Amino acid sequence: MENTIVAISTAAGNSGIGIIRLSGKNSFEIVKKIFVPKNKQQEIKGYSIKYGNIINPENSEIIDEVLVSYFIGPNSFTREDMCEINTHGGMVVERKILDICLKNGADLAEPGEFTKRAFLNGRIDLAQAESVIDLINAKSDKEAKESIKGLKGELSEKIGQIEEKITDVMVNIEVVVDYPEYDIDEMTNKEALEKLAIIENMLEELEHSFDKGKLIRDGIKTVIFGKPNAGKSSLLNAILNEDRAIVSEIEGTTRDSIEEYINVGGLALKLIDTAGVRKTDNIIEKIGVDKSKKLAEESDLIIAIFDLSKDLEEEDKQIIDIIRNKNAIIVLNKVDIKKENNDIENQLTDLCKPIIKMSALKREGLEDLYNEIIKIFSLNEILNSNDILITNERHKNQIRKAKESIKEGIEAIKNSMPIDISSIHIKQALNELGEITGKNASEDIINEIFRKFCLGK
Ligand code: GDP
């Protein structure tokens, strides 16, 4: 890369420290112009830190007292010469230093440009770069762990193994294509078919791992249903008030939809329509049966709350209808003021759903609820599995396309088509896989991926 880039790498706002990052062949030269180290010794060593002042070279004004770290390429994140200026946090100082870097020869980095350079300079592949974004955005422990696996290149390694197997088949087939004067060896066909079937299987397994990976990435979409006063808000508050609970609150597209994530055993539970629960007293009446059905349709899990201090009522029956064929947990709430001879439980056992008794108000029974969720989604199995899980939609699509190409290759051989036809399909599978690691990803795809990064990463 010709130019040297600079960006503020820490989040906007006041903080303990702020970091301004430079990468490119002029990094050290630019820093030399604006940084006066206390120890005048000018020699630069990689992985070293110097203490001193950032000055405005135009008037020698001291901007801040800083620490500057030096990384000599290729032993750096981007493989280029890099500097990180640690300032006292604060937007004014950070902006000033950024400006001075820009005036002294650096260009403002685009979002993700540091990581893009790491990719373009061959330090990481595309799948690894995408893991960097996933890691930054991780909402749960498991998601972060999967991203680290991706960052370490485990997915790329697996893709590499499959590519090797495909290449192996290609080599055999090409021999036949190149020397058509030899009869197409029955053996070659049989062997190719066997090998292709194994490849198809491997791709299919990876593709399916996305379903589990999706739970890790998106969280378990959960909706809470219950008639007015059953205890929906109380349950929500009990869940959200636990300090281990809140992961984040993300503003949805409309003002009403706040997405809240809670952490259950290392995975994120994504509560949908919690604003609806909070604002409308009667979820069925105010949002309507249709919207409730739609919410139920969209969710992975329904928590249906019934009030043990009352008998079953009309609205309860509507909820029962909605959850009948869905993944649901029945919560019998207000166990502390249970009505005598209340037989709601007996009336609900036919539904064959797990039933939890609790008191949302007293925060009793939450653990049972969490344990049930862990059981339903076999979370322990997912959490303890060392298999590679695809969590990225783009990767899944490429794997699916590769699998389809392999299938077409198999069909072509089975239908005794000319061998170059199946060879075209098999090559196509290799291309599709190559787009995952970026070996043959188009510039558009690469740009699209790095656009999702934040500035300074
Ligand atoms: P929502 O309309 O379903 O959101 O119900 P709320 O959470 O607002 O609860 C309605 C009323 O029931 C409030 O006065 C709560 O304090 C009370 N409540 C909720 N859960 C319990 C519980 O487990 N035990 C008792 N005794 N009262 C509860």
Side-chain angles (χ1 to χ4, degrees):
M1 262 35 71
E2 276 308 298
N3 63 342
T4 295
I5 50 172
V6 65
I8 300 173
S9 279
T10 37
N14 293 339
S15 56
I17 56 164
I19 297 176
I20 289 118
R21 182 138 88 143
L22 292 121
S23 178
K25 61 177 194 294
N26 295 329
S27 297
F28 299 157
E29 201 183 300
I30 294 168
V31 167
K32 197 174 161 192
K33 286 192 233 169
I34 65 170
F35 175 60
V36 184
K38 284 274 150 55
N39 179 349
K40 294 281 185 287
Q41 202 184 344
Q42 285 297 337
E43 187 204 1
I44 291 170
K45 284 193 234 130
Y47 299 124
S48 69
I49 298 178
K50 287 187 184 196
Y51 164 67
N53 288 322
I54 292 286
I55 53 145
N56 182 348
E58 281 171 20
N59 53 18
S60 299
E61 177 201 357
I62 294 177
I63 309 293
D64 194 9
E65 199 181 26
V66 300
L67 292 174
V68 177
S69 328
Y70 295 86
F71 305 88
I72 301 177
N75 298 320
S76 74
F77 179 62
T78 58
R79 283 206 167 157
E80 301 173 334
D81 287 347
M82 287 185 79
C83 278
E84 287 184 6
I85 305 171
N86 283 241
T87 73
H88 292 117
M91 278 320 280
V92 176
V93 171
E94 289 169 15
R95 283 269 165 78
K96 265 193 182 167
I97 298 176
L98 180 72
D99 267 354
I100 293 173
C101 290
L102 292 173
K103 280 199 186 117
N104 284 278
D107 293 328
L108 190 61
E110 289 165 15
E113 196 171 354
F114 292 94
T115 316
K116 189 175 179 181
R117 287 187 174 201
F119 163 64
L120 293 174
N121 292 328
R123 202 184 77 86
I124 53 176
D125 65 33
L126 205 51
Q128 286 173 302
E130 286 171 295
S131 301
V132 175
I133 321 183
D134 293 343
L135 186 60
I136 294 171
N137 293 333
K139 296 175 290 301
S140 68
D141 217 27
K142 179 64 178 171
E143 198 181 352
K145 276 191 194 142
E146 283 305 314
S147 311
I148 290 283
K149 274 194 201 168
L151 188 56
K152 273 168 44 195
E154 288 185 23
L155 171 65
S156 312
E157 207 178 294
K158 179 94 186 178
I159 298 291
Q161 286 166 5
I162 299 176
E163 283 172 335
E164 242 170 63
K165 286 195 189 305
I166 298 177
T167 312
D168 180 40
V169 177
M170 279 299 295
V171 170
N172 282 337
I173 288 180
E174 297 275 286
V175 171
V176 181
V177 175
D178 291 345
Y179 301 95
E181 62 273 23
Y182 295 106
D183 271 352
I184 294 180
D185 189 340
E186 276 303 309
M187 204 42 218
T188 310
N189 270 356
K190 193 167 163 267
E191 222 184 289
L193 280 176
E194 276 168 12
K195 286 181 176 167
L196 287 172
I198 292 172
I199 293 165
E200 189 191 339
N201 251 336
M202 289 174 91
L203 289 168
E204 181 138 323
E205 250 174 51
L206 266 187
E207 188 192 349
H208 280 164
S209 78
F210 182 76
D211 294 336
K212 287 183 192 163
K214 198 166 142 44
L215 280 185
I216 291 171
R217 200 198 50 224
D218 295 347
I220 300 164
K221 284 193 200 145
T222 307
V223 61
I224 302 177
F225 281 160
K227 69 181 171 194
N229 286 323
K232 296 177 295 294
S233 327
S234 306
L235 175 65
L236 203 58
N237 288 335
I239 293 174
L240 297 179
N241 282 344
E242 280 202 358
D243 44 19
R244 68 162 192 164
I246 280 213
V247 177
S248 59
E249 274 194 29
I250 297 168
E251 285 283 342
T253 41
T254 63
R255 231 187 42 223
D256 267 0
S257 77
I258 296 173
E259 288 174 355
E260 268 155 312
Y261 288 92
I262 61 166
N263 222 322
V264 176
L267 262 196
L269 206 68
K270 178 181 176 184
L271 296 165
I272 50 179
D273 203 52
T274 54
V277 170
R278 282 180 175 163
K279 281 185 195 146
T280 53
D281 216 16
N282 180 348
I283 189 141
I284 296 292
E285 222 168 63
K286 292 233 176 83
I287 70 172
V289 176
D290 283 350
K291 167 110 193 269
S292 304
K293 280 196 180 142
K294 192 164 165 279
L295 277 178
E297 216 55 63
E298 284 168 10
S299 58
D300 304 311
L301 172 70
I302 301 170
I303 297 177
I305 309 189
F306 299 90
D307 184 342
L308 277 178
S309 70
K310 291 183 181 156
D311 291 320
L312 278 191
E313 293 166 333
E314 190 47 40
E315 288 134 319
D316 290 318
K317 295 193 177 130
Q318 289 176 341
I319 292 172
I320 291 172
D321 277 344
I322 291 178
I323 65 172
R324 199 172 293 277
N325 298 314
K326 293 273 162 349
N327 225 351
I329 296 177
I330 292 173
V331 168
L332 302 180
N333 190 32
K334 309 198 191 180
V335 68
D336 53 316
I337 50 167
K338 179 172 181 285
K339 191 179 159 221
E340 276 204 36
N341 305 325
N342 183 321
D343 83 335
I344 292 187
E345 189 170 355
N346 286 335
Q347 291 171 269
L348 295 174
T349 38
D350 284 356
L351 284 168
C352 297
K353 310 280 182 210
I355 296 182
I356 309 278
K357 286 189 205 140
M358 70 182 296
S359 166
L361 193 69
K362 299 195 166 171
R363 294 182 191 168
E364 283 165 13
L366 274 181
E367 274 313 307
D368 294 343
L369 179 62
Y370 294 148
N371 286 337
E372 206 49 62
I373 296 172
I374 289 172
K375 219 155 80 191
I376 290 185
F377 291 94
S378 316
L379 296 189
N380 284 334
E381 198 186 298
I382 298 180
L383 293 168
N384 298 326
S385 147
N386 279 325
D387 293 347
I388 290 167
L389 295 178
I390 302 292
T391 52
N392 184 299
E393 186 122 21
R394 189 183 79 83
H395 299 167
K396 186 199 76 166
N397 284 334
Q398 292 308 118
I399 288 166
R400 181 182 45 75
K401 286 193 219 161
K403 186 193 74 184
E404 274 157 20
S405 298
I406 293 289
K407 260 189 176 159
E408 285 175 80
I410 291 175
E411 282 309 304
I413 297 178
K414 280 188 179 160
N415 295 330
S416 312
M417 294 202 172
I419 198 75
D420 18 356
I421 300 283
S422 78
S423 148
I424 288 170
H425 291 303
I426 296 166
K427 253 190 212 148
Q428 181 60 22
L430 268 184
N431 287 339
E432 305 290 6
L433 292 181
E435 278 197 25
I436 295 180
T437 47
K439 258 183 284 183
N440 49 4
S442 73
E443 211 177 314
D444 283 352
I445 291 175
I446 292 168
N447 288 337
E448 185 56 38
I449 287 169
F450 287 101
R451 245 198 297 279
K452 292 186 202 142
F453 274 79
C454 32
L455 211 65
K457 189 66 213 175

